[in-house]
Amino acid sequence: MELRDLLIQRWGWVFAPSAKDLGFAVRTSVAAILSLLIAMWMELGSPQWAPLTVWVVATASRGESLSKARWRFVGTIIGGCMGVALIASFPQQAGLFFIALAVWIGLCCGWATFLDGYRRYGLLVISFTSAIVATGAISQPDDVFNVAMARGTYIMLGTLCEAVLAALFLPNVQKEAKVRLLARLRQITAKVATHAMVVRERGSDPETESRLLTELVDANARIEFDVLEMGSGTRRSADHARAVLARLLAVLARAQGRSSESDVDRDLEAAYRHIAAIVEPPRHDRFTFRTHSPRHMLEAVLNGLRAATGIIGAWLLWEVTAWPSGPAFVSFVALVYGLLATREIPALASSGFYRGAVWCAGVAGIYAFLVVPAVTVPEYLALLLLIPMVVGGLAARAPKLVNHAFSFNMFLPVLIGPSNLMRYDEVSFLNGASAFLGAVLFTRVTFGVVFPFRADSHLRRTSAWVEKQLRLSARGGLNGNGQNVHQWLAINAASMVRAVRNCQGVPRDMMLAYMARHLHAMTLGVWVIELREAAALNATPASVRKRLQVFLRAWFRQGDAARPLARTVLCSLRKSPDVTSDIQGALRGLAGDVPPVA
């Protein structure tokens, strides 16, 4: 019995998959094979790139696939144009060409750090598409336009096949998406309301609040996909859903800061109103809600330098060795960099990615040497390819094997290299496989050598960023963008969740201290922003505004070291009848009259 349980635990994803996981594996495999057959029927030169696109854009939900496909379209068009421009600018200057390519890819990877969701993926697609198009035309620069058009054709075909199969396998998604969105919002609203009551009775718990923040951030990421599945005319639903989560963040901050019960209930009631607006949209609804991603400048610079250094290193390796497969090696390096950069911790993801690449090369070798030469028609090859693709699709649904399946699924058809000739030259296969494995290994090494990721350093940088944000909240945010309370909470929640996920190896005491400080900084920021907004209102009496401005200037210079001044301001305004309860509450919190977090 113990052996059976062990086998199920380790191999259950293959022998006992859920219906949902099996459906995803079969659907995506059929879409990949269909795109391959269509590409071969159209007699395209490299049909294997079509199924790669299918596996790149395939996700468990239709809305997520649509979002990913949309940004891949945009990224492919811009990346193809940039690849043509690079070749046209440096047709006979290899050194300048690769320096320009490295700088461009570094800029794309660095700027992608500032974005979230598949907007980040779109920038990464721009980077590696530029490299694929440009390096694919190095030997024949005059054909760069044809290369760009061919790559675009494969991507369009693969994306279309995945979308069609998703529509067939996932019918009636509009009603289900709305039900799913509302159920998620109601569930998390109930959790936050219960937690707010517990905090008032027993005090704050950083670990519990961190889990709630993670749920809120994950729910926010799913809103775009659910609304895409709901169809046209539901754009305002996304704004209302994000407003619900923003109000819930405010509930957590106010509960932690021991605000009055009426303040907490006010945000909860606003959240329920937004949920009701999703259930029955108001006529002529013009409500909008904007959020911003956290921008860690140092992280962006490191990501950009790491990618640029990797491209320069790959070119130098090709230049020194005069490797005939050098262009393919550089293309694979850029592609792997872009794919791994979508992971939260690329250095850790690269390990599983490399193992999956080794399995991919082994299975592709068996097919290239034994299966493909024995097949006489493309339909037989499609049937035989269904076996490893379905297994790879099931692995993609197993949390421990996600990165393994990531490389296996995408590059299996590329390494097999099926064509209308139905035979693959052994030397060509070995050169292609060695370029691929070398690129994955090279990328893994550079992630560990060039600005390697360290959890403790990342935590310290994030803490310093939080303190800077907190100080600058008195002047309208880090970039002078005048962020409001909800934007402040959303940005900090996303930053904290990312830090907690990325720093699992940090000692527990250090992590708890960080979470407690970050949560407390979020609450302090709410009070500071409320005072800043009150000081900007003409309705606030001039005498009150002057005192608030004095405090805000001190906060901008000293940060929370200026908290004692809040008590002085509070005492000077206590007898003033024109001071609102919100101003008094914010000053009391900053002065320490409200008990701080543990």
Side-chain angles (χ1 to χ4, degrees):
M1 186 66 180
E2 293 181 358
L3 179 60
R4 179 175 176 272
D5 293 340
L6 182 62
L7 289 175
I8 292 177
Q9 182 180 2
R10 188 166 186 177
W11 298 99
W13 60 273
V14 176
F15 300 111
S18 66
K20 188 175 181 179
D21 293 346
L22 183 61
F24 168 80
V26 173
R27 164 173 65 89
T28 311
S29 300
V30 171
I33 291 172
L34 178 63
S35 69
L36 175 64
L37 292 177
I38 294 175
M40 296 176 70
W41 173 72
M42 295 174 65
E43 297 186 0
L44 298 178
S46 301
Q48 66 270 20
W49 288 97
L52 179 144
T53 300
V54 171
W55 285 107
V56 168
V57 300
T59 57
S61 71
R62 188 177 177 186
E64 195 171 352
S65 295
L66 289 172
S67 177
K68 197 172 186 180
R70 177 177 62 185
W71 289 107
R72 184 167 179 83
F73 272 134
V74 174
T76 299
I77 293 172
I78 298 176
C81 294
M82 193 62 194
V84 174
L86 287 171
I87 284 290
S89 301
F90 309 103
Q92 296 179 345
Q93 296 87 20
L96 293 176
F97 166 77
F98 279 102
I99 290 174
L101 179 64
V103 171
W104 171 247
I105 290 179
L107 288 174
C108 291
C109 292
W111 188 256
T113 309
F114 294 148
L115 304 178
D116 54 4
Y118 289 120
R119 294 166 185 80
R120 173 187 301 179
Y121 173 73
L123 264 177
L124 299 173
V125 170
I126 292 174
S127 69
F128 62 69
T129 301
S130 303
I132 291 173
V133 170
T135 56
I138 284 179
S139 58
Q140 294 178 320
D142 292 341
D143 290 337
V144 64
F145 180 76
N146 294 331
V147 172
M149 293 299 294
R151 293 290 182 266
T153 302
Y154 303 139
I155 290 170
M156 301 291 182
L157 175 60
T159 304
L160 180 62
C161 289
E162 198 281 333
V164 170
L165 267 293
L168 293 176
F169 273 71
L170 301 171
N172 303 321
V173 295
Q174 291 186 351
K175 294 182 179 179
E176 293 179 4
K178 186 173 183 177
V179 171
R180 187 169 58 246
L181 174 63
L182 289 171
R184 188 184 303 116
L185 293 176
R186 287 167 176 158
Q187 181 182 26
I188 199 168
T189 301
K191 286 184 178 181
V192 171
T194 302
H195 178 72
M197 295 176 58
V198 172
V199 169
R200 283 199 295 266
E201 296 174 359
R202 305 176 188 175
S204 179
D205 179 11
E207 287 187 290
T208 302
E209 294 191 7
S210 175
R211 287 194 293 270
L212 282 174
L213 287 176
T214 301
E215 289 190 43
L216 288 168
V217 171
D218 290 343
N220 186 67
R222 299 294 313 173
I223 289 173
E224 176 187 357
F225 311 142
D226 290 333
V227 172
L228 280 174
E229 291 183 12
M230 289 164 61
S232 59
T234 58
R235 178 170 172 263
R236 301 304 177 190
S237 296
D239 293 319
H240 285 292
R242 293 189 180 97
V244 171
L245 301 180
R247 289 290 182 174
L248 296 181
L249 286 173
V251 169
L252 290 177
R254 296 188 191 284
Q256 187 199 45
R258 312 294 175 84
S259 297
S260 64
E261 187 173 347
S262 60
D263 289 339
V264 174
D265 291 341
R266 182 179 58 192
D267 283 312
L268 278 175
E269 290 171 2
Y272 284 120
R273 285 197 300 271
H274 285 295
I275 292 176
I278 299 175
V279 177
E280 295 184 9
R283 294 185 62 185
H284 308 296
D285 188 8
R286 297 181 180 275
F287 177 77
T288 57
F289 189 87
R290 294 183 179 181
T291 58
H292 301 284
S293 304
R295 296 187 175 184
H296 298 275
M297 182 60 68
L298 183 57
E299 296 292 333
V301 172
L302 293 179
N303 286 339
L305 290 176
R306 188 184 296 118
T309 303
I311 297 299
I312 292 293
W315 164 60
L316 290 176
L317 185 61
W318 172 35
E319 190 77 16
V320 171
T321 60
W323 188 11
S325 299
F329 171 71
V330 177
S331 297
F332 279 130
V333 167
L335 181 56
V336 174
Y337 260 116
L339 294 173
L340 288 179
T342 60
R343 296 315 200 225
E344 287 192 344
I345 311 179
L348 298 182
S350 63
S351 177
F353 195 92
Y354 179 74
R355 292 188 178 93
V358 173
W359 278 99
C360 177
V363 174
I366 294 174
Y367 270 75
F369 294 152
L370 301 178
V371 177
V372 173
V375 174
T376 56
V377 292
E379 290 77 11
Y380 290 161
L381 176 62
L383 185 63
L384 292 171
L385 282 175
L386 192 64
I387 299 172
M389 284 188 176
V390 170
V391 173
L394 293 174
R397 304 295 296 159
K400 294 183 179 179
L401 299 174
V402 170
N403 294 317
H404 298 67
F406 196 37
S407 57
F408 180 89
N409 293 331
M410 287 189 297
F411 292 102
L412 180 65
V414 174
L415 294 186
I416 293 175
S419 67
N420 289 312
L421 298 177
M422 300 304 294
R423 295 187 64 88
Y424 199 49
D425 178 71
E426 290 81 357
V427 175
S428 299
F429 169 79
L430 292 175
N431 284 334
S434 61
F436 169 61
L437 292 176
V440 177
L441 180 60
F442 177 84
T443 306
R444 183 183 177 187
V445 170
T446 54
F447 271 123
V449 174
V450 182
F451 306 116
F453 177 83
R454 291 184 55 186
D456 54 347
S457 298
H458 178 77
L459 203 60
R460 284 194 296 270
R461 290 196 300 270
T462 305
S463 299
W465 177 84
V466 171
E467 299 302 326
K468 185 177 181 180
Q469 277 277 76
L470 181 58
R471 182 174 58 83
L472 294 176
S473 62
R475 288 291 181 90
L478 183 60
N479 297 315
N481 55 4
Q483 57 188 351
N484 57 35
V485 168
H486 300 306
Q487 290 170 340
W488 161 264
L489 290 171
I491 289 173
N492 278 272
S495 179
M496 179 178 171
V497 169
R498 183 172 181 268
V500 171
R501 283 175 174 170
N502 292 353
C503 302
Q504 297 294 331
V506 172
R508 186 172 182 272
D509 293 341
M510 182 185 297
M511 180 58 71
L512 287 176
Y514 161 77
M515 289 191 296
R517 173 55 188 168
H518 200 152
L519 288 168
H520 189 40
M522 290 169 64
T523 305
L524 293 176
V526 169
W527 289 325
V528 171
I529 293 173
E530 287 179 346
L531 293 180
R532 189 196 74 210
E533 291 177 346
L537 290 176
N538 293 327
T540 305
S543 60
V544 177
R545 275 190 290 164
K546 288 180 180 179
R547 287 176 171 83
L548 294 181
Q549 289 167 357
V550 168
F551 170 76
L552 291 171
R553 283 194 292 268
W555 186 275
F556 177 73
R557 293 191 301 268
Q558 304 173 27
D560 61 355
R563 291 182 68 183
L565 182 59
R567 183 180 298 275
T568 303
V569 175
L570 179 63
C571 292
S572 68
L573 296 176
R574 226 178 257 263
K575 296 181 181 180
S576 176
D578 299 321
V579 179
T580 64
S581 60
D582 289 340
I583 294 177
Q584 291 180 359
L587 286 171
R588 278 198 301 268
L590 292 168
D593 289 354
V594 176
V597 294

